[in-house]
Amino acid sequence: MALTAVCGFWMIRNAAIRSAGDTATAWIEEKGRSLFAEAISVKQGTNQPRFGVSDVEENKAIDEAKEIGGM
């Protein structure tokens, strides 16, 4: 029974890893390339940033980072 449980765990783990990889690949293909291209153009000074992050989202991320950093 223990062997079955261990085998089941590894099967579920591998399926989760495979699914996460597929999801990441899909996101990169859909949004990552355009985000990267925009970041390059902003860095080169040919474009203003417009990553689609609202002020609320930005403040939430900053607050979470401060909380994690212990500030």
Side-chain angles (χ1 to χ4, degrees):
M1 191 154 161
L3 181 60
T4 303
V6 170
C7 289
F9 167 77
W10 285 107
M11 288 174 55
I12 292 170
R13 179 185 176 275
N14 289 338
I17 290 171
R18 201 172 23 251
S19 177
D22 293 345
T23 302
T25 300
W27 185 89
I28 289 170
E29 289 175 354
E30 182 182 335
K31 297 185 181 186
R33 290 184 180 145
S34 63
L35 184 63
F36 181 73
E38 185 173 336
I40 294 297
S41 67
V42 168
K43 187 169 181 91
Q44 293 173 344
T46 59
N47 195 3
Q48 291 295 320
R50 49 183 186 91
F51 295 117
V53 179
S54 70
D55 290 338
V56 173
E57 292 171 321
E58 181 181 341
N59 290 331
K60 181 180 176 187
I62 291 170
D63 291 341
E64 288 176 4
K66 287 179 182 177
E67 184 177 313
I68 292 170
M71 297 176 106

